[in-house]
Amino acid sequence: MSAEEDFQQVGAELADLGVRISRMMGSPALKDQAGKVFASLQHDGAMVFRLVRDTPEHAAALKLPEASLFDPSGQGREMKDWVVVPHSSAETWTDLAEAALSRPR
């Protein structure tokens, strides 16, 4: 499947938890019931998750091949709570999205 199809599948799997697919800064995003973004699909096909630093899920996500902290500016200003997970690890996306949804924002 494509990254967009995998993203849509994650959204569908979490719909019963009140998750909806929306857009944030031009990218598809997952929002919780309060309308806050906790995950987003990037233009390169990777997905970004707000996992909160110093949590087991955050550490596990960073250990995935080619995963990294999110740096939206590309200028070394990483958002330390957000982890970029490439499409090659799409099988982990639903679990990571559930973890991101469960973290307070």
Side-chain angles (χ1 to χ4, degrees):
M1 284 198 296
S2 71
E4 176 69 30
E5 290 170 325
D6 284 331
F7 171 82
Q8 293 289 333
Q9 181 177 334
V10 171
E13 289 176 15
L14 300 182
D16 289 346
L17 300 174
V19 171
R20 62 186 174 87
I21 296 175
S22 186
R23 296 194 79 72
M24 179 182 78
M25 296 191 286
S27 295
L30 298 178
K31 292 185 177 180
D32 64 15
Q33 289 179 328
K36 295 191 180 207
V37 172
F38 63 91
S40 178
L41 182 66
Q42 301 303 289
H43 299 291
D44 65 359
M47 199 160 165
V48 180
F49 302 91
R50 184 180 182 279
L51 294 169
V52 184
R53 72 189 103 176
D54 301 326
T55 62
E57 298 86 2
H58 187 273
L62 282 174
K63 289 180 183 175
L64 293 168
E66 299 180 45
S68 63
L69 291 176
F70 184 43
D71 180 7
S73 70
Q75 298 179 357
R77 291 183 284 212
E78 298 163 334
M79 298 177 72
K80 293 182 180 16
D81 287 339
W82 292 78
V83 178
V84 179
V85 178
H87 186 236
S88 59
S89 294
E91 72 280 357
T92 66
W93 285 3
T94 299
D95 290 339
L96 293 172
E98 287 176 343
L101 177 62
S102 71
R103 295 289 172 203
R105 281 171 284 296

